[in-house]
């Protein structure tokens, strides 16, 4: 089967993925059947019926049948993932632990479990258990030996107001205009909010990457991928969901360059040694560096090392020694005077990096 991204394929995910080229996918997001095994109808206190998951796609003969199904689709996912790819799976307490064990059995390497904590969960109407207020996502690399995978740490930090993104995500259920309806009722019982997929796709892919969703439903993964400038491939067996997803995706505008841009990872930036600033003439040999309050100073040598009070070494070592500290980031500590003003040496490093990136 030849891959044609940005489309929905009608069919069962296992057979479809088995026909796809191997090692062609950057990210899989899977929202598989939860195997809720509801025995009775559920009603609110006012006796209105709760619109729970009662569809045939969520019904299995037992745990053995569910496990067999899970192993088959996870195996198919692993086959199509690139050696640098990763997979996210979401589930509830009904299935996520069985799925997690199966992933480990198949050689996936768990990197994080993430809790989606719902700000507006459905109450426990019978009052016999705690309110189920979260679902669990498992994020895995393809294997333990995988050396490279995409994690946009700095982009996630920027999304979280410059604080490191945690593994508990407080987000509301899909509701309002985002919730698709059919005949006045929810079109899909477990439609996920776009905000949840925004984090997953932004964290784990780069613009242009291919995202596959084997249980596409009403197309949330595709909508987010398209908006973020990623390619998507959805697999869906139900004709009604496929039609809804097609209409939904048709209305989504693809992201422009500025909309899909992310904060670059510091690890991906070109390395610029301090000596490179000396080589380029941005800082002259013999120049004096000081800290922001001019309490400490050091002179620059031709090889890019510093000397101060008999201490010599890198910008980091000398800064640490002068402060009696075990370590110090010299790029953040040192300044050079230019036209009567102190200029951070890191600003000069950024200028060199910009030139290197521009070619």
């Amino acid at each position: 089967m030849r891959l044609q991204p940005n489309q929905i394929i009608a069919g069962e995910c296992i057979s479809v993925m088995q026909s796809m080229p191997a090692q062609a996918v950057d990210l899989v997001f899977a929202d598989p059947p939860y195997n809720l095994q509801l025995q009775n109808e559920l009603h609110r206190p006012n006796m209105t019926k709760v619109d729970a998951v009662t569809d045939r796609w969520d019904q299995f003969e037992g745990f053995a049948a569910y496990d067999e199904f899970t192993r088959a689709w996870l195996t198919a996912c692993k086959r199509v993932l690139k050696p640098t790819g990763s997979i996210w799976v979401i589930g509830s307490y009904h299935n996520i632990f069985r799925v997690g064990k199966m992933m480990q059995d198949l050689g996936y390497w768990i990197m994080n479990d993430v809790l989606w904590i719902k700000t507006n969960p459905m109450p426990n109407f019978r009052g016999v258990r705690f309110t189920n207020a979260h679902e669990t996502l498992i994020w895995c690399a393809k294997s333990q030996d995988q050396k490279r995978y995409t994690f946009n740490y700095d982009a996630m930090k920027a999304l979280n107001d410059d604080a490191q993104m945690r593994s508990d995500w407080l987000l509301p259920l899909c509701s309002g205009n985002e919730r698709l309806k059919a005949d006045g009722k929810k079109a899909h019982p477990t439609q996920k909010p776009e905000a949840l997929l925004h984090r997953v796709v932004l964290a784990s892919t780069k613009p242009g990457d291919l995202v596959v969703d084997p249980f596409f439903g009403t197309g949330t993964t595709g909508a987010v991928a398209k908006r973020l400038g990623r390619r998507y491939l959805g697999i869906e067996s139900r004709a009604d969901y496929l039609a809804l997803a097609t209409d939904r995706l048709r209305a989504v505008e693809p992201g422009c360059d500025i909309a899909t841009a992310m904060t670059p990872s510091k690890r991906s930036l070109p390395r610029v040694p301090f000596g490179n600033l000396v080589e380029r003439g941005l800082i002259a040999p013999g120049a004096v560096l000081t800290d922001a309050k001019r309490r400490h100073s050091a002179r620059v040598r031709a090889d890019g090392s510093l000397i101060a009070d008999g201490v010599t070494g890198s910008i980091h070592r000398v800064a640490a020694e002068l402060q009696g500290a075990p370590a110090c980031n010299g790029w953040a500590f040192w300044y050079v005077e230019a036209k009567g003003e102190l200029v951070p040496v890191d600003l000069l490093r950024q200028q060199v990096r910009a030139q290197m990136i521009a070619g």
Side-chain angles (χ1 to χ4, degrees), residues 82-271:
K82 291 180 179 179
T84 55
S86 65
I87 179 172
W88 288 77
V89 181
I90 187 170
S92 72
Y93 71 89
H94 301 89
N95 72 323
I96 197 64
F97 303 108
R98 306 186 77 84
V99 172
K101 176 188 182 300
M102 194 74 67
M103 297 181 85
Q104 290 182 310
D105 288 346
L106 291 172
Y108 288 102
W109 186 250
I110 297 178
M111 295 188 288
N112 275 112
D113 69 322
V114 173
L115 291 185
W116 167 30
I117 302 173
K118 304 170 184 178
T119 60
N120 53 343
M122 180 186 296
N124 186 275
F125 294 110
R126 293 175 181 164
V128 295
R129 301 182 187 181
F130 295 110
T131 296
N132 295 321
H134 76 275
E135 293 186 34
T136 301
L137 297 96
I138 299 176
W139 178 39
C140 288
K142 189 175 180 179
S143 74
Q144 180 179 359
D145 300 327
Q146 189 169 327
K147 303 299 183 185
R148 292 170 48 238
Y149 58 89
T150 298
F151 177 51
N152 299 313
Y153 168 84
D154 293 283
M156 298 305 288
K157 188 175 179 181
L159 191 66
N160 198 39
D161 285 340
D162 272 342
Q164 189 178 66
M165 181 72 77
R166 293 160 45 117
S167 61
D168 49 346
W169 296 355
L170 191 66
L171 296 168
L173 288 165
C174 181
S175 60
N177 292 333
E178 186 183 334
R179 169 68 77 171
L180 299 186
K181 301 288 183 65
D183 298 325
K185 298 180 180 180
K186 292 188 294 186
H188 193 292
T190 63
Q191 181 182 338
K192 296 301 181 288
E194 291 190 9
L196 182 70
L197 269 296
H198 186 97
R199 290 194 184 183
V200 169
V201 174
L202 192 69
S204 309
T205 62
K206 301 181 290 291
D209 278 358
L210 177 60
V211 181
V212 166
D213 186 336
F215 307 97
F216 202 57
T218 55
T220 303
T221 303
V224 172
K226 185 176 180 181
R227 195 171 288 120
L228 291 176
R230 277 64 169 173
R231 298 174 299 150
Y232 67 87
L233 186 66
I235 306 170
E236 179 53 52
S237 60
R238 281 188 47 158
D240 53 345
Y241 292 166
L242 194 151
L244 286 165
T246 300
D247 290 342
R248 179 183 185 181
L249 287 163
R250 192 178 293 121
V252 174
E253 292 291 334
C256 60
D257 289 343
I258 189 65
T260 60
M262 297 185 297
T263 302
S265 167
K266 292 181 175 63
R267 295 185 182 92
S268 68
L269 296 174
R271 182 175 178 271

Side-chain angles (χ1 to χ4, degrees), residues 13-14 17-18 71-81:
C13 67
I14 297 169
M17 286 192 290
Q18 287 173 342
R71 176 179 289 275
W73 71 258
L74 281 172
T75 300
C77 288
K78 192 168 189 184
R79 175 185 166 275
V80 300
L81 273 174

